[in-house]
Amino acid sequence: MQRPEVYTARRLRKDMSLPEVLLWQRLRGGASGVKFRRQHPIGPYVADFYCRALRLVIEIDGQGHNHGAQPLHDDRKTQFLEENGYQVFRIAAADVLKDADQVADAIRLLVANPLHHQPLAGGPPPRAREDLQ
């Protein structure tokens, strides 16, 4: 039996919002330099876009994200993802609708210059006296 998040993700892939579709057209197939997945389940949540190589989550926030309990839900989701080692970037749906190419270019820049770099093969050298403990 599959987790409920998997079913939710499948349904969301079929019912993507216009901003999500516009951005997906620009990110799919590694067009950004890395592979993104759309509507990808992570724990109890579903990320709009997810890059496994960078542990990067892109969330598209429409008008509905400003009303009712949605801001609290978004905060909990972001907190969960960050506590589990993911970087989360939220983009306003209005920005995607205004200029999806510019948003995709910004994501390409982020991917090309991530905030956190992967450790070197053997890891960094130990700090002074750290290897003595």
Side-chain angles (χ1 to χ4, degrees):
M1 182 172 182
Q2 291 184 332
R3 299 182 348 230
E5 298 83 21
V6 173
Y7 292 111
T8 301
R10 287 180 180 162
R11 181 180 47 80
L12 290 172
R13 282 184 209 118
K14 292 177 185 174
D15 298 328
M16 290 174 61
S17 68
L18 179 58
E20 291 171 341
V21 169
L22 292 172
L23 190 56
W24 178 240
Q25 290 171 341
R26 286 152 179 84
L27 295 179
R28 71 185 301 173
S32 62
V34 294
K35 182 178 178 181
F36 276 91
R37 298 174 182 179
R38 63 187 167 123
Q39 306 301 337
H40 180 75
I42 300 174
Y45 299 102
V46 177
D48 290 339
F49 300 99
Y50 170 61
C51 173
R52 181 176 177 211
L54 299 173
R55 293 184 61 88
L56 173 66
V57 173
I58 307 286
E59 289 290 311
I60 306 299
D61 293 342
Q63 283 295 95
H65 288 263
N66 298 329
H67 303 289
Q70 193 63 42
L72 180 60
H73 174 78
D74 289 345
D75 289 344
R76 286 185 187 147
K77 181 177 183 177
T78 298
Q79 182 180 0
F80 172 85
L81 292 169
E82 288 176 347
E83 286 174 354
N84 286 281
Y86 298 92
Q87 283 182 299
V88 180
F89 288 92
R90 293 192 167 276
I91 300 170
D95 292 342
V96 177
L97 290 172
K98 187 171 26 174
D99 192 348
D101 290 325
Q102 183 179 15
V103 172
D105 288 342
I107 292 171
R108 283 185 198 99
L109 281 174
L110 175 69
V111 166
N113 300 303
L115 296 177
H116 301 286
H117 299 281
Q118 297 294 330
L120 299 174
R127 291 185 220 147
R129 301 181 189 251
E130 187 175 276
D131 56 343
L132 299 176
Q133 297 176 5

